[in-house]
Amino acid sequence: MYVYLPIAEMSVNIFVLLAMGGAVGFLSGMFGVGGGFLMTPLLIFYNIPPAVAVATEAAQVAASSFSGTLANLRRQTVDIKLGLVLLCGGLVGSTIGVQLFRILRSLGQLDLVISILYVVFLGGIGTLMLIESLNAIRKVKKSGGSGEMRKPGDHNWIHGLPLKMKFKRSRLYLSAIPVLALGALVGILASIMGVGGGFIMVPAMIYLLKVPTNVVIGTSLFQIMFVTAYTTVIQAHTNQTVDIILGLTLIIGGVIGAQMGVRVGQRLRAEQLRALLALIVLAVCARLLIDLVLTPDELYSIQTFVGGGH
Amino acid sequence: MVRLLNSMLILMGILVPLLMTSGAAAEELHIGLGREEISIGSDFNGTDLTIFGSVEDGLARFGDTQHYDVVVELQGPSEMSEVRLKERVLGIWVNTQGRSVQAAPGSYSVSTTRPLDEIANEVTFRGLGIGLPSVPIAIQNSDEEFREAFKRLKLDKGLYVQNVGAIGFLTPVLFKARVEIPANVPIGSHIVRGYLFTDGALLDTAATEFTVSKSGFEAFTYDAAQNHGLYYGLVTVALAMFAGWLASVIFRKK
């Protein structure tokens, strides 16, 4: 059964959209990531214009993050104070990102920038995570200890920067600057790439900020929820490429999948989760890299400007 | 110069058969459409449009034998766009060059009773502006390479179409055609032009139009997104959050 998307101005198979939303939603609940880094490329592979995919995906990520956040809040696995500081950085970053999006689109280079950003970030983070988590799994197998990343009193130079704040839930005392910077970076990426940013935030929180793994997922979802909601509104206002029908269809599949994913994620060990996520991230990266490098079938493309007959 | 040639050809097309047959009046072409408005609803995935017509005074010349050819053009609203070319830069494919298309029909189709070269010769069609080679595409620097790429891309997307043999005569003077309207048809006013030929000469032309518009909800949504972006965004987020909350409540008991 086909549904017509009023903003994308094309007709798509509704069941395919629901299935895509469900699968990605499941992963989002399991890993505590928004899922946008998978959904946006999938939408683009399904021929939705990248500008519409990115902007609409922000709405879907907001919905599934909301769903996941509520689940985490009930289990008390969210550091709200930390989340709020990340959020402040995120709002600033998102505002900048939406403007960049608008400029790149008018230059006809938006698609390329989106692909390159994905390849760089997914490739880098995926590789690092894979190496680290495989090592952790091996260590756990040998000694039978926990794969927990942080030992008490474990600090690095990032923690020592000025503007220190105390975060009770995570038992952290560190500078607010890296927290704000991380939030801002994630905010910029959210608006240009149509992601929640969890794939950067989760590893950064674990390895750089040394937040305990059990709070990382809930806290990152908390930030993502607010930043993507904000991004959706600003994208709709500035670029007019948020497609509400597409968004709602993906959301229906996504929120259901996310709830199931949260439950399955509880059953896996922390280092196993990290390894799995790393593999998925690298797979998407490889696909995008191939698309960038392989000679395309058609070297020409048309970008039609709206406003002509409407 | 072209317009002069154009008018001369049309004049010839009318006069020559007139002079050939003694005293018979020239035929008139009439065309009509199955519907004049195509409404895009939530389950739109392309549709068909029926075009029909008649040749008035057509029996006088040829009696019962079928001797006419009809060509029908559909031309969509004019759009502005940009054609870009990718080149390899440092190993990856990047859009480097572009030409702007100031105006070109968003969609175009030509339907005929027989292959064009059997109906009349190329010069005639060029003069009348019929057929894919004559589609009016105003491109930057009149760049032929980019113009051809533009046409080819439009053909691939199913927006520029050639339908040979799509028009059929039900009686010697009554014809019908069914034209496919693609799922990505541009919104706006579409012009329909009919041309009546016999023996390689043009006898008459006729024109009508139809509009493609988004219906009710789709129009409302599109308008809201374009003109009231902020509210549209807020509503979208509210709905998204509601869906998220609803899912968490439904699954809580499980």
Side-chain angles (χ1 to χ4, degrees):
Chain A
M1 193 195 121
Y2 279 83
V3 66
Y4 180 76
L5 305 175
I7 309 302
E9 293 187 319
M10 56 188 287
S11 187
V12 291
N13 187 325
I14 200 172
F15 295 118
V16 171
L17 285 184
L18 285 169
M20 275 161 71
V24 175
F26 181 84
L27 292 173
S28 106
M30 194 155 110
F31 298 116
V33 293
F37 70 92
L38 275 184
M39 195 76 240
T40 308
L42 272 180
L43 288 174
I44 296 175
F45 296 154
Y46 194 43
N47 283 322
I48 310 277
V52 175
V54 165
T56 307
E57 188 46 25
Q60 198 244 345
V61 171
S64 48
S65 308
F66 185 51
S67 183
T69 301
L70 288 175
N72 275 281
L73 280 169
R74 273 185 226 120
R75 290 171 176 77
Q76 293 189 314
T77 46
V78 181
D79 183 338
I80 295 183
K81 188 171 173 188
L82 183 62
L84 285 171
V85 179
L86 282 169
L87 173 55
C88 290
L91 294 178
V92 171
S94 169
T95 312
I96 296 173
V98 172
Q99 287 308 313
L100 274 174
F101 181 101
R102 183 182 59 81
I103 294 168
L104 285 170
R105 190 168 173 228
S106 65
L107 291 173
Q109 301 296 354
L110 181 66
D111 300 8
L112 178 70
V113 171
I114 290 176
S115 292
I116 291 180
L117 282 174
Y118 266 105
V119 169
V120 166
F121 278 102
L122 296 186
I125 289 166
T127 309
L128 290 171
M129 274 190 89
L130 189 63
I131 295 172
E132 183 281 327
S133 53
L134 287 177
N135 283 338
I137 290 176
R138 266 189 310 166
K139 244 193 282 176
V140 165
K141 281 219 174 91
K142 274 196 224 155
S143 63
S146 108
E148 188 57 58
M149 265 306 295
R150 181 170 147 256
K151 291 118 198 150
D154 193 2
H155 291 125
N156 56 33
W157 66 272
I158 285 175
H159 287 224
L161 289 168
L163 277 178
K164 291 205 174 56
M165 290 175 74
K166 199 183 266 186
F167 298 102
K168 280 217 185 94
R169 185 69 185 78
S170 309
R171 288 163 298 169
L172 276 178
Y173 180 60
L174 81 165
S175 160
I177 292 179
V179 182
L180 287 169
L182 177 61
L185 173 65
V186 163
I188 294 180
L189 293 176
S191 39
I192 298 188
M193 293 169 70
V195 294
F199 67 92
I200 293 199
M201 210 156 39
V202 167
M205 282 168 83
I206 294 175
Y207 303 122
L208 293 176
L209 299 179
K210 310 285 187 192
V211 179
T213 316
N214 65 338
V215 206
V216 166
I217 288 176
T219 311
S220 93
L221 280 175
F222 179 83
Q223 192 260 19
I224 289 169
M225 172 182 85
F226 283 109
V227 172
T228 48
Y230 174 77
T231 303
T232 305
V233 175
I234 302 299
Q235 279 282 24
H237 177 64
T238 308
N239 293 310
Q240 290 100 40
T241 53
V242 175
D243 190 312
I244 197 171
I245 304 294
L246 174 63
L248 286 175
T249 310
L250 293 173
I251 284 167
I252 291 171
V255 294
I256 296 173
Q259 286 290 330
M260 299 188 195
V262 168
R263 277 164 188 76
V264 173
Q266 309 266 306
R267 304 212 196 108
L268 288 174
R269 305 174 68 106
E271 63 279 5
Q272 283 173 328
L273 272 179
R274 293 200 297 273
L276 261 176
L277 180 58
L279 284 171
I280 294 177
V281 163
L282 285 172
V284 176
C285 170
R287 174 72 165 91
L288 286 164
L289 186 60
I290 289 172
D291 276 350
L292 273 178
V293 168
L294 218 58
T295 309
D297 288 330
E298 178 59 72
L299 291 178
Y300 289 91
S301 59
I302 301 177
Q303 183 180 3
T304 310
F305 298 120
V306 177
H310 298 113
Chain B
M1 179 61 189
V2 175
R3 268 212 272 157
L4 182 60
L5 260 172
N6 212 344
S7 333
M8 276 173 62
L9 278 165
I10 293 180
L11 213 58
M12 271 166 53
I14 297 179
L15 285 179
V16 171
L18 264 183
L19 293 171
M20 279 176 9
T21 66
S22 44
E27 293 89 327
E28 270 178 26
L29 176 70
H30 297 270
I31 54 172
L33 300 173
R35 51 184 162 148
E36 267 136 38
E37 170 138 13
I38 295 181
S39 202
I40 296 185
S42 58
D43 56 353
F44 184 77
N45 190 26
T47 186
D48 286 332
L49 178 67
T50 303
I51 304 177
F52 56 88
S54 68
V55 182
E56 208 163 286
D57 288 332
L59 293 172
R61 189 204 302 246
F62 297 116
D64 261 345
T65 55
Q66 209 289 86
H67 226 80
Y68 294 107
D69 282 304
V70 175
V71 173
V72 174
E73 276 185 322
L74 262 65
Q75 187 166 313
S78 188
E79 288 174 342
M80 267 176 35
S81 45
E82 179 102 11
V83 185
R84 295 197 175 92
L85 174 64
K86 280 190 166 72
E87 280 165 356
R88 200 169 226 152
V89 174
L90 298 174
I92 55 177
W93 289 93
V94 181
N95 280 328
T96 48
Q97 289 191 63
R99 302 281 182 275
S100 64
V101 176
Q102 290 94 22
S107 62
Y108 176 85
S109 77
V110 55
S111 310
T112 65
T113 39
R114 295 187 294 157
L116 280 171
D117 51 12
E118 286 173 33
I119 297 178
N121 60 47
E122 208 185 304
V123 176
T124 312
F125 287 124
R126 276 293 167 101
L128 291 166
I130 299 175
L132 281 168
S134 308
V135 176
I137 300 171
I139 193 166
Q140 187 180 354
N141 302 339
S142 294
D143 194 315
E144 281 314 306
E145 206 182 302
F146 277 79
R147 190 200 304 270
E148 286 309 307
F150 180 82
K151 265 193 246 179
R152 188 183 61 243
L153 286 165
K154 284 290 207 181
L155 276 163
D156 285 342
K157 290 184 202 213
L159 287 169
Y160 282 11
V161 184
Q162 202 153 307
N163 293 316
V164 175
I167 305 181
F169 270 87
L170 304 170
T171 76
V173 293
L174 183 65
F175 64 87
K176 185 183 110 165
R178 193 183 280 152
V179 178
E180 255 182 52
I181 304 290
N184 51 355
V185 60
I187 309 291
S189 177
H190 294 243
I191 300 172
V192 180
R193 277 190 285 260
Y195 302 86
L196 181 66
F197 288 91
T198 190
D199 291 331
L202 177 74
L203 296 178
D204 193 20
T205 65
T208 181
E209 63 177 338
F210 66 94
T211 49
V212 176
S213 56
K214 291 182 174 117
S215 77
F217 179 71
E218 281 66 28
F220 170 74
T221 307
Y222 185 84
D223 178 68
Q226 291 293 313
N227 302 320
H228 308 282
L230 195 58
Y231 297 115
Y232 174 88
L234 288 167
V235 169
T236 306
V237 169
L239 283 171
M241 295 316 208
F242 176 73
W245 169 81
L246 196 64
S248 81
V249 159
I250 291 175
F251 283 92
R252 193 197 296 212
K253 301 276 173 67
K254 279 199 173 174

